[in-house]
Amino acid sequence: MSTTTTTNNNNSSHPTENVAELQFGPEFKDIHILSNAQVAIILQVSAHSAVTRDEELNEVYRKTQRYVQRFNSMTNAEKEHQELVDELDNLQDALTTFRKETTDDGGDGDELELHGAEVAALMNLVATDTLVEEAVALIPSLSRFPEAAIEEILDLIRSTMIRIVS
């Protein structure tokens, strides 16, 4: 994961952005991050609509579509479009609302939740055989969760993937 410092036109520095530590610039404050599977569905619907209107898709659009299709592990040609959308939305909602209490030796704890960037990254990379260690290696910010909580998160994703592909 890389760390970048950005500057605006006035040469004043923004805080350092670091994905591994979930530090993002202000432009990322109120955005909704989509997984490759969600983008693939949106582009597929848009492409179908363009064909019915006899419009040609530009090269950037086609390249983006190929990219998300290539890395989309949550797909099933036999499922209805809306069924896939519903499954992906339900998974994203489950991950977004996932909470885990942590306790320290004094009995006080913090409530941990997944950041939107972690949710999308998990939806993009997790396969049915992904191990906790792999998930943490690919998404270092997950290390703040106990191992059992990460396994619970992976189980949520696995069960959705099984429903989608079966």
Side-chain angles (χ1 to χ4, degrees):
M1 300 275 166
S2 65
T3 302
T4 44
T5 302
T6 58
T7 58
N8 64 19
N9 293 339
N10 299 331
N11 285 332
S12 65
S13 220
H14 287 284
T16 300
E17 296 176 357
N18 186 327
V19 175
E21 296 177 8
L22 299 176
Q23 296 174 345
F24 301 96
E27 60 273 5
F28 291 97
K29 186 175 188 313
D30 294 319
I31 63 168
H32 182 78
I33 303 171
L34 300 175
S35 69
N36 286 336
Q38 291 168 307
V39 173
I41 290 172
I42 291 167
L43 293 178
Q44 181 182 26
V45 169
S46 176
H48 178 71
S49 179
V51 167
T52 60
R53 291 188 313 267
D54 201 28
E55 296 175 355
E56 188 174 322
L57 302 174
N58 69 39
E59 185 62 21
V60 172
Y61 187 100
R62 288 193 304 267
K63 283 182 179 182
T64 303
Q65 196 171 30
R66 283 192 300 269
Y67 174 87
V68 294
Q69 284 299 96
R70 179 177 175 198
F71 294 104
N72 179 10
S73 59
M74 296 194 192
T75 185
N76 183 339
E78 296 176 12
K79 298 264 184 183
E80 292 290 323
H81 162 76
Q82 191 58 49
E83 192 175 355
L84 288 173
V85 169
D86 290 344
E87 286 286 358
L88 293 170
D89 285 349
N90 289 340
L91 175 60
Q92 188 171 36
D93 288 345
L95 293 173
T96 301
T97 59
F98 181 85
R99 303 283 185 274
K100 193 51 80 177
E101 282 285 324
T102 61
T103 56
D104 58 19
D105 293 335
D108 294 330
D110 294 323
E111 184 177 70
L112 298 175
E113 60 186 65
L114 291 168
H115 186 277
E118 292 171 314
V119 170
L122 283 162
M123 290 176 69
N124 287 342
L125 67 86
V126 172
T128 55
D129 62 348
T130 300
L131 302 173
V132 170
E133 297 79 19
E134 291 174 294
V136 172
L138 294 167
I139 309 169
S141 59
L142 292 177
S143 64
R144 70 188 193 286
F145 285 92
E147 194 170 304
I150 299 170
E151 188 63 47
E152 191 177 333
I153 292 165
L154 295 175
D155 285 343
L156 270 170
I157 297 168
R158 286 183 197 111
S159 63
T160 300
M161 285 185 72
I162 290 168
R163 281 195 308 274
I164 288 175
V165 299
S166 62

